[in-house]
Amino acid sequence: SSVYEDSNARGVDGDQLNDLAVDSGAAFIYVKVGNRWQLQAYLKASNTDASDFFGLSGALSADGNTCVISALWEDSPAREINGDQSLNTAIDAGAAYVFQRTGENWRQCNYLKSLATDSQDMFGGGIAITGDGKSLAVASLYENSGSSGFGGDPTDNSVASSGGVFLY
């Protein structure tokens, strides 16, 4: 990945050759064919904006068919799965994007956010995915919940920058 990539492309295999979204970021999927590596997909967020740093964290399933990439400084106030990406009112809230491959073709299938999105949560600071790509964990570095254990209340916001992990 390249968090300093500057194209304003969105999704899979867009135009890499412009510099219209500084530090928006990108990820690149390579496959080995014979003895050579070749680019299979150029991945961007579906809501590319400058300074989102897409690609700072990512994970690929062991079967190579599911890829999750974060944009740590993405600014949408959306919550949970596939929410409204169009607003930029939750500065540095963060997001994660799930891409799946069928054959040689990649597509974005999910846009993930915290259950209680707030500015500066930095959702996507760490990502882990199971080998089969069916479960994943996304860390929110500065989530403010005072909850502990599994299934706590992410809207609590009583302990600043305590962090949290969301399972999907």
Side-chain angles (χ1 to χ4, degrees), residues 13-150:
D13 295 330
D15 179 11
Q16 302 178 43
L17 302 178
N18 68 62
D19 291 331
L20 300 175
V22 174
D23 297 337
S24 55
F28 305 86
I29 302 287
Y30 287 87
V31 295
K32 194 168 186 179
V33 178
N35 291 329
R36 298 185 59 200
W37 289 94
Q38 69 181 34
L39 180 64
Q40 186 174 67
Y42 165 69
L43 306 177
K44 294 284 286 187
S46 50
N47 60 338
T48 298
D49 282 315
S51 301
D52 278 354
F53 293 96
F54 178 86
L56 191 62
S57 185
L60 181 68
S61 63
D63 64 10
N65 291 322
T66 305
C67 180
V68 183
I69 306 290
S70 74
L72 204 57
W73 289 285
E74 187 267 355
D75 300 327
S76 169
R79 293 183 177 198
E80 300 188 40
I81 301 170
N82 297 330
D84 183 357
Q85 305 175 40
S86 65
L87 301 176
N88 283 313
T89 58
I91 304 305
D92 299 340
Y97 304 79
V98 180
F99 296 87
Q100 289 187 320
R101 177 174 68 172
T102 303
E104 294 181 6
N105 298 312
W106 287 88
R107 66 177 177 83
Q108 182 182 323
C109 60
N110 291 110
Y111 166 72
L112 306 177
K113 297 287 285 187
S114 162
L115 299 175
T117 300
D118 290 312
S119 291
Q120 300 176 342
D121 278 353
M122 294 189 181
F123 180 84
I127 295 173
I129 190 168
T130 58
D132 63 6
K134 293 183 178 181
S135 298
L136 62 110
V138 180
S140 187
L141 299 179
Y142 298 110
E143 164 64 32
N144 296 316
S145 178
S147 295
S148 62
F150 184 78

Side-chain angles (χ1 to χ4, degrees), residues 143-167:
E143 164 64 32
N144 296 316
S145 178
S147 295
S148 62
F150 184 78
D153 179 8
T155 65
D156 177 321
N157 283 344
S158 65
V159 180
S161 302
S162 57
V165 175
F166 296 85
L167 304 175

